[in-house]
Amino acid sequence: MRRTRMAIINSDSTLSLPIGTKNPQNHRVLIEEIGGLIRVYKDGHVERPQIVPCVTCTLPLELGVTCKDLVIDKFTNIWARFYVPKCNLEKLPLLVYFHGGGFCVGSAAWSCYHEFLAVLARNAGCVIMSVDYRLAPENPLPAAYEDGEKALIWVKQQALSGSNKWWLKNCDFSNVFVAGDSAGGNIAHNVSLRLSVNWAQLKPLIFKGNILIQPFFGGESRTISEALMVQPRGSVLNLVASDTYWRLSLPKGANRDHPWCNSRAKRSSKLDRMTYLPTMVCVSELDILKDRNMEFCGVLRNSGIQVEHVVYKDVGHAFQILDKSQFSQMQTQEMISHIKAFVSKRMNSG
């Protein structure tokens, strides 16, 4: 079997201080760290080294995609980056996207997301709204879910405004999709779950489906892929990093069997096949989340919800944004083709 390594983020050795020790540079006590990505100190100070560059809206002209940033809520600093492919007279479906990063890191301005979503917008024929939400631990869950809801309500208000803004005039608001990868996939799911009790409140928006790429779930008991999947040193997601993200993100006192984390946990608001959106789940074969993703598909099916999943062979977590090998790039193109097919099918479903 041909195997390609996941993209590896190389951490500077100076970032790997033992937990609970003092950083000689600032004399703060370090209590949580994910090497190279985030450090959390006892006094509440948080550092996020700029390991992935943030970029402006610039795109190559030949790509044929216009990109701009817009503020959604100036009080909470929620904003979104829009990708609008050139089109003729027809309007395009809107895909509202949430980036990954364990709820604790990441940005809609990260270069890896900027490149991936620009290509996705062009090749799948969608207007994409990439939401930059508040991060934990400063803003633990449900802050990211609340920001997701706020973003969709903002889109509704824009649609009702009758404005002919550059991105609005290209949107078909009768075909809206909620999407995201990793923690963003979890956000997309939970935002849809929260709004599914009353989709009518978002009219004229009509939601057609969820697209969840390697959605981030967990639990106190280990799955086989969590316990046995061997990850390269420094890979973007391993079990220690996963547990740390959940400790930093969940409400105080909650463990990984909280319903926001464990898709099999008993919910106060159960999945309803009449209101929860038809869903596509993209799974990576070498991802520690593989079994969690398959469990989630089972939960949807057992609730009578339409779900389809695709397993991408020989690639790991976040390969579509972080692994630049030729093989992973081919798999990424396959993923984009599958997303395009799902969007097209759901648009034609009425």
Side-chain angles (χ1 to χ4, degrees):
M1 179 182 288
R2 180 183 180 185
R3 294 192 180 273
T4 57
R5 288 169 63 87
M6 291 171 55
I8 297 176
I9 297 177
N10 294 317
S11 301
D12 187 311
S13 60
T14 60
L15 303 184
S16 301
L17 296 171
I19 301 303
T21 63
K22 287 188 177 181
N23 184 333
Q25 294 181 344
N26 59 22
H27 307 292
R28 287 189 165 109
V29 177
L30 183 68
I31 58 171
E32 295 279 12
E33 178 182 24
I34 299 174
L37 287 168
I38 187 169
R39 305 187 199 99
V40 181
Y41 295 92
K42 189 174 182 179
D43 63 2
H45 179 71
V46 179
E47 295 175 356
R48 295 180 177 86
Q50 196 66 44
I51 196 166
V52 179
C54 288
V55 296
T56 64
C57 296
T58 305
L59 288 171
L61 288 175
E62 59 270 22
L63 191 64
V65 177
T66 302
C67 181
K68 291 183 182 179
D69 294 342
L70 293 175
V71 174
I72 293 173
D73 188 333
K74 64 181 179 181
F75 299 105
T76 54
N77 294 319
I78 307 170
W79 59 276
R81 179 161 292 183
F82 286 80
Y83 300 87
V84 181
K86 289 181 180 177
C87 58
N88 296 321
L89 297 177
E90 75 278 9
K91 292 193 174 185
L92 301 175
L94 173 64
L95 195 154
V96 181
Y97 195 94
F98 300 96
H99 67 76
F103 307 105
C104 298
V105 298
S107 169
W110 269 13
S111 58
C112 53
Y113 281 109
H114 185 62
E115 294 164 7
F116 172 66
L117 294 178
V119 173
L120 177 62
R122 181 193 65 183
N123 292 358
C126 295
V127 173
I128 295 180
M129 173 186 178
S130 178
V131 180
D132 200 79
Y133 51 87
R134 289 173 294 168
L135 299 176
E138 301 95 324
N139 301 284
L141 296 174
Y145 305 152
E146 292 167 350
D147 292 351
E149 289 185 79
K150 187 174 292 184
L152 294 179
I153 292 170
W154 180 87
V155 173
K156 166 196 169 176
Q157 293 167 342
Q158 298 299 305
L160 288 172
S161 70
S163 169
N164 197 32
K165 291 180 181 176
W166 65 278
W167 70 274
L168 282 169
K169 64 183 181 182
N170 291 284
C171 280
D172 177 2
F173 291 113
S174 66
N175 285 294
V176 182
F177 295 80
V178 186
D181 69 289
S182 195
N186 179 294
I187 294 169
H189 160 65
N190 277 288
V191 168
S192 291
L193 186 63
R194 291 157 74 99
L195 292 172
S196 65
V197 296
N198 185 14
W199 285 117
Q201 67 179 304
L202 290 171
K203 286 184 178 179
L205 308 186
I206 299 177
F207 291 80
K208 291 297 185 68
N210 293 329
I211 300 167
L212 312 182
I213 302 172
Q214 305 137 359
F216 188 37
F217 293 109
E220 288 297 310
S221 299
R222 302 302 190 190
T223 65
I224 292 175
S225 64
E226 287 173 340
L228 301 180
M229 190 76 74
V230 177
Q231 299 294 296
R233 178 176 175 159
S235 66
V236 67
L237 186 68
N238 55 46
L239 197 55
V240 173
S242 175
D243 289 353
T244 305
Y245 282 135
W246 284 117
R247 280 197 303 274
L248 294 174
S249 304
L250 287 169
K252 188 175 181 180
N255 66 19
R256 293 190 306 274
D257 283 333
H258 191 286
W260 293 338
C261 176
N262 191 339
S263 66
R264 299 179 68 179
K266 185 176 180 180
R267 293 177 175 273
S268 57
S269 175
K270 296 195 176 189
L271 292 164
D272 187 335
R273 67 184 181 86
M274 300 302 294
T275 59
Y276 190 83
L277 298 173
T279 298
M280 174 185 181
V281 181
C282 299
V283 184
S284 292
E285 185 185 36
L286 305 184
D287 189 354
I288 64 168
L289 298 179
K290 174 188 169 186
D291 291 346
R292 294 286 177 194
N293 290 176
M294 298 308 295
E295 283 180 354
F296 175 68
C297 292
V299 169
L300 296 186
R301 289 192 181 97
N302 291 340
S303 299
I305 294 163
Q306 296 180 53
V307 58
E308 55 186 78
H309 75 274
V310 184
V311 178
Y312 297 92
K313 301 290 186 180
D314 296 333
V315 286
H317 192 76
F319 75 90
Q320 73 283 355
I321 58 166
L322 293 178
D323 192 336
K324 300 302 182 184
S325 70
Q326 183 178 5
F327 180 73
S328 286
Q329 291 297 297
M330 290 171 56
Q331 294 286 65
T332 299
Q333 290 305 314
E334 281 291 300
M335 177 185 287
I336 290 173
S337 296
H338 293 148
I339 292 172
K340 180 178 181 179
F342 177 79
V343 168
S344 178
K345 180 169 70 174
R346 293 305 310 157
M347 284 177 63
N348 296 326
S349 67

